[in-house]
Amino acid sequence: MPTGNGSRVLLIGLDSVDFDYLQSHLGSLPTLQRLFTGGVVRRLDSPGDVMSASVWPTFYTGTLPGEHGRYFPVQWDPASMRFRHVASDWIDSEPFWRALARGGLPVTTLDVPMAFPSRTTAGVEVVNWGAESFGNFHCNRPDIGREIARRFGTNVLGPDVPVDKSPRRLDRIRRTLLAVAKRRGELGRWLMKQTAWNLFVAVFPECHRAGHYFWSDAAASAAPTSDDDVVLELHRAVDREVGALIEAAAPDTSVIVFSLHGMETNHSQMHLVGPVIERINAVFASPDGTPPASRPRAKRNITRLLRELLPASIQERVALAIPVGLRQWLVGRSYASTADWRNTPGFALPTAGQGYVRLNVVGREAQGCLARGGAPYSRYLEAVREGFLSLRDAETREPLVESISAPGERYPGPRSEYLPDLSIGWRGVAPATAVHSERLGTFTGRLKTGRGGNHRPVAFAAVSGPARELPRAASLQTITDLSELVRDLAIGPR
Ligand SMILES: [Zn+2]
């Protein structure tokens, strides 16, 4: 049973709310202003600088990516040589509060991104009520799940399909997000009343999608006056609901509001990674390691071709309608279209920002062709690094790549082999449409995600109530420390 001071904890995640944006708009956000001025505010490190989406499992397991092995909803399975949606029957991970719940601490959670349904009866865990995911609504307490469905609906937000959006579609997204933020507040308050809790975890994902589709750096740095500023409108809506949740809790409740990454203008060049790695492979395969005399014939990739030709609205409708198995097959086809694994030393991985490259390693991949540590291995790694570093915007001549890191080496652990071998970080320049490389030739293409905003690796926590007196609150450094802070409050420091 819990031995802590019995202090209640309200842990509120503001998905992709940007720290600097918040600070410059606090005047319009009364709840957050109160929490920022009256609490301990800490900027936190995270693995988001090399793997953006890894921040959620990192937070909720309290472990680094080498331990939990998750960095994206769709990952590469080296045993079956295909892409799979990550599920609990493959790369399982347990949130830190589940052990606390099994130990007797009353816990209620709502919509923690990338968390799997709980199969235990400990605590009350609601997932995918209105989250940024293809997963289905689930509550481990069927009676409560049924009541939520009846009163508040299920799957109310639905997954985001990153394709270009028409103004009409954007307006629908805006209206949906505003409605969901409000209803999420009502559901949160209902759960606070209906369930016994000492730890209540709720995540608001609305600013995440608003950031992707409505972000502009100009509006982010300007005085908050514009009436058509959708990003600010969503921040205000979430601020109101967070305020109402805090109001509904007892006055001595500790409140921890956090965000695991931020938002900025989209600088991703992810549309280039597949074509570039294919060109690197062709050059690598040529007998003397020089570019083939004629430009390598582009492989016919039907999935990529459909993405070029089909209107975005149809792509979106198809992606939302087809079953998960077919969708993951299509995603896989658009990345690694080859079946010729003997001649594929490396390939691109699905991403929403950073460029990810997987090496086809003997002994790890079922059909690996590159022996670790051998001369071809080092030569190929060098070819990939130099190839990406040689990319320049054909018009401005600006280099496109800022950094190339090795997530598996940076985060060693039992699951580091699920992580990308290389992560390519982009320089802060606009997504290129024509690219030139002295080594690799010319590439053309366009980033067609429809996303004007994308993540940046800035995380923070604002701690108020009794929790702010704890030494750990003042020394929070990384997003994994949040689970330790909650443990300190719930069961006392270890
Ligand atoms: Zn995102």
Side-chain angles (χ1 to χ4, degrees), residues 230 336 437:
V230 179
S437 151

Side-chain angles (χ1 to χ4, degrees), residues 44-66:
L44 306 175
D45 292 333
S46 85
D49 58 333
V50 289
M51 293 172 293
S52 159
S54 71
V55 296
W56 278 106
T58 299
F59 151 73
Y60 78 63
T61 62
T63 67
L64 292 171

Side-chain angles (χ1 to χ4, degrees), residues 101-287:
R102 277 196 299 265
L105 187 82
V107 177
T108 299
T109 72
L110 171 59
D111 270 3
V112 177
M114 294 173 83
F116 297 125
S118 166
R119 303 294 170 193
T120 74
T121 53
V124 177
E125 293 191 40
V126 179
V127 296
N128 296 330
W129 173 75
E132 184 90 6
S133 108
F134 277 102
N136 285 325
F137 168 74
H138 184 268
C139 177
N140 62 329
R141 285 272 308 275
D143 53 331
I144 295 176
R146 276 192 300 275
E147 198 53 24
I148 291 173
R150 199 177 68 79
R151 288 169 179 261
F152 304 97
T154 61
N155 290 91
V156 297
L157 192 53
D160 178 40
V161 180
V163 294
D164 292 334
K165 309 268 193 299
S166 67
R168 231 170 93 196
R169 179 80 186 97
L170 286 173
D171 189 54
R172 232 178 37 239
I173 291 176
R174 167 185 163 266
R175 280 183 284 123
T176 302
L177 290 172
L178 285 168
V180 170
K182 185 162 183 288
R183 215 180 324 157
R184 183 183 307 282
E186 289 161 10
L187 169 57
R189 297 196 296 280
W190 182 83
L191 279 168
M192 285 171 84
K193 240 190 237 159
Q194 296 296 314
T195 64
W197 57 273
N198 269 32
L199 169 61
F200 193 97
V201 188
V203 177
F204 286 82
E206 290 79 10
C207 293
H208 182 170
R209 196 169 299 182
H212 276 315
Y213 290 104
F214 300 101
W215 188 268
S216 99
D217 275 351
S221 55
T225 49
S226 165
D227 283 343
D228 57 359
D229 183 341
V230 179
V231 173
L232 184 60
E233 194 179 20
L234 261 301
H235 279 71
R236 279 184 170 139
V238 168
D239 184 84
R240 264 195 302 279
E241 299 308 326
V242 170
L245 278 187
I246 295 172
E247 189 117 323
D252 62 342
T253 303
S254 291
V255 178
I256 305 168
V257 170
F258 68 96
S259 171
L260 303 178
H261 48 198
M263 201 46 78
E264 64 181 353
T265 289
N266 196 351
H267 299 128
S268 179
Q269 314 284 354
M270 57 183 265
H271 54 299
L272 297 169
V273 180
V276 168
I277 201 85
E278 280 164 21
R279 190 82 56 87
I280 288 171
N281 289 352
V283 172
F284 188 72
S286 73

Side-chain angles (χ1 to χ4, degrees), residues 279-297 439-440:
R279 190 82 56 87
I280 288 171
N281 289 352
V283 172
F284 188 72
S286 73
D288 52 0
T290 56
S294 62
R295 196 187 309 161
R297 201 164 60 87
R439 294 167 166 269
L440 302 170

Side-chain angles (χ1 to χ4, degrees), residues 62-80:
T63 67
L64 292 171
E67 288 287 322
H68 61 72
R70 297 181 62 200
Y71 68 91
F72 201 67
V74 177
Q75 294 188 194
W76 175 251
D77 177 7
S80 62

Side-chain angles (χ1 to χ4, degrees), residues 74-85 90 324-325 328-329 331-333 336 341 347 349-350 365-367:
V74 177
Q75 294 188 194
W76 175 251
D77 177 7
S80 62
M81 299 299 281
R82 65 187 172 99
F83 294 103
R84 292 171 64 181
H85 272 274
W90 179 32
V324 73
Q328 73 183 10
W329 181 82
V331 167
R333 291 287 303 176
W341 290 114
F347 49 96
L349 302 171
E365 268 63 29
Q367 299 180 58

